[in-house]
Amino acid sequence: MSDRGTLVIGTRRYSSWSMRGWLLVRLAGLDPVERMIPLGAAPGSIGDASPSGQVPYLSHDGHQVWESLAIAEYCAELSPSLWPETLAARTHARVLSAEMHAGFRALRLALPMNLGRDRPLAGGIPIDVQADLDRIERLWTATRARFGADGPYLFGAGFGAADAMFAPVAARLAGYRIRLGAVAASYCAEVLAHPLVQAWYEAAEAEPVSWRLDRYESVA
Ligand SMILES: N[C@@H](CCC(=O)N[C@@H](CS)C(=O)NCC(=O)O)C(=O)O
């Protein structure tokens, strides 16, 4: 028997992995009950709700799924169009998603997601972060050129799992006002304009100010 399931997420304003998980389940047509545990809540709160002690965590139809990439695969089991149709494109989408899941550490540490932010990083972009940014821009540009002809997203017309994996990167690039070439800038704008991404931003905007955390807000 199928149930709505539960998705455990953290503060929308900051939790980039929750954003990915939420986008993925919604793209798959799921409508799980959302259990919000604000980041910075009492120690152990996430551990009580998620086997890995991290968000997102999806419990659905008797399946327990943590790790965003596994959530992507689970959602694609239910809704195969989350990955592109051809083997070549599907393979590439998985490679990009795996690289996003495992990599870009410098970028993630130096430019934490803060959906309320709209100013450049004080002091400029460190070299290792710039290397991550350059790599992302090359990946986006090459993927759009090879697979994206029939629409605005990485693999064309459909906003899929790979786009969901990169959506928080688009949010960072906008929030820290990173300058991009034309292809990456236009892709970034399309991702941010997607209705589900917009819905996530709106819900983030409605979060209580008391959930804000200095460690994100004080990034210079
Ligand atoms: N590899 C994990 C990363 C998840 C992760 O780092 N989540 C952060 C929030 S964005 C978290 O749960 N942090 C625990 C905490 O802040 O207490 C995934 O892909 O889902």
Side-chain angles (χ1 to χ4, degrees), residues 171-187:
R172 285 175 164 97
L173 297 182
Y176 291 88
R177 295 200 195 160
I178 304 295
R179 294 176 65 137
L180 299 166
V183 174
S186 141
Y187 169 65

Side-chain angles (χ1 to χ4, degrees), residues 9-11 14-21 37-47 50 52-57 66-71 100-102 108 113 165 172 213 215-216:
I9 56 174
T11 314
Y14 308 128
S15 183
S16 57
W17 295 108
S18 297
M19 182 183 188
R20 294 179 175 96
I37 303 182
L39 297 185
S45 326
I46 299 183
S50 160
S52 64
Q54 293 191 316
V55 286
Y57 166 55
W66 58 92
E67 288 297 330
S68 310
L69 198 51
I71 293 175
M100 180 67 250
H101 190 243
R108 290 199 272 113
M113 190 173 92
M165 292 300 284
R172 285 175 164 97
L213 296 174
R215 67 173 185 267
Y216 297 104

Side-chain angles (χ1 to χ4, degrees), residues 6-10 32-38 45-46 48-50 55 57:
T6 304
L7 182 70
V8 185
I9 56 174
V33 174
E34 287 170 23
R35 180 162 174 205
M36 161 63 72
I37 303 182
S45 326
I46 299 183
D48 290 342
S50 160
V55 286
Y57 166 55

Side-chain angles (χ1 to χ4, degrees), residues 79-97:
S79 182
S81 64
L82 260 68
W83 296 124
E85 206 175 324
T86 68
L87 178 61
R90 211 161 54 241
T91 300
H92 195 59
R94 283 195 162 105
V95 169
L96 292 191
S97 300

